[in-house]
Amino acid sequence: MKFLILNGPNLNMLGKREPGIYGSESYDELCRRLESFAVAHDSTADCVQSNCEGELIDHIHSAPGRYDAIVINPGAYTHYSYAILDALLAVGVPAVEVHLSNIHKREEFRHRSVTAPGCVGQICGLGVFGYEAAMLYVLSR
Ligand code: DQA
């Protein structure tokens, strides 16, 4: 399996950013973890992060033919980016949405995901394990 691991705005700040919520692992450490996890499962994982909505959309558009699945944490775009939803719906590459934190236990504006309807499912609140759980789900299919 070839995975595209797509992380949205502020996720490059992992490790420094509100560690009580998002954990102490840095973005680079997360990428190394997921790349190794993929290799251990006869797969590959390309990790991409952007703070820009259009760049995330461009990466989603480039996925067909290159990747078997997308694991996406759209960050705050989760809550209002209909453009990312439309991109996910446009490409038809199976995507799993991941959130490090339990968005349902937090501020009300985080409870709604407008991007989740473009995904096979959503995992939240499991920290970095959520990305591995998403990959395991895809591998099990
Ligand atoms: C997040 C949750 C979002 O509400 C927030 O804006 C993020 C990270 C998470 O991984 O828990 O940037 O997607």
Side-chain angles (χ1 to χ4, degrees):
M1 282 281 179
K2 291 184 181 166
F3 290 97
L4 172 61
I5 315 288
L6 205 47
N7 277 290
N10 298 307
L11 289 159
N12 55 312
M13 298 296 287
L14 284 181
K16 299 179 205 135
R17 173 193 186 200
E18 299 181 272
I21 296 175
Y22 297 115
S24 53
E25 194 165 298
S26 71
Y27 174 70
D28 284 345
E29 286 167 344
L30 173 67
C31 293
R32 299 299 86 79
R33 169 200 283 268
L34 299 181
E35 286 158 7
S36 304
F37 188 82
V39 169
H41 292 84
D42 291 326
S43 299
T44 61
D46 288 346
C47 292
V48 176
Q49 187 276 333
S50 176
N51 294 316
C52 303
E53 187 178 29
E55 283 182 18
L56 293 166
I57 291 167
D58 287 343
H59 285 295
I60 294 168
H61 288 175
S62 72
R66 294 179 65 194
Y67 296 102
D68 300 303
I70 300 170
V71 176
I72 183 167
N73 181 346
Y77 285 136
T78 303
H79 313 300
Y80 62 93
S81 178
Y82 298 108
I84 290 177
L85 168 64
D86 282 349
L88 291 166
L89 293 171
V91 297
V93 176
V96 182
E97 182 169 302
V98 172
H99 299 286
L100 293 155
S101 64
N102 183 345
I103 55 176
H104 303 289
K105 281 173 86 173
R106 301 182 63 197
E107 302 95 320
E108 199 164 340
F109 76 89
R110 297 187 202 272
H111 297 181
R112 179 162 177 246
S113 169
V114 304
T115 50
C119 298
V120 180
Q122 184 200 64
I123 296 167
C124 75
L126 305 185
V128 294
F129 175 70
Y131 292 85
E132 296 175 348
M135 293 164 79
L136 280 178
Y137 169 77
V138 172
L139 288 161
S140 75
R141 304 296 294 167

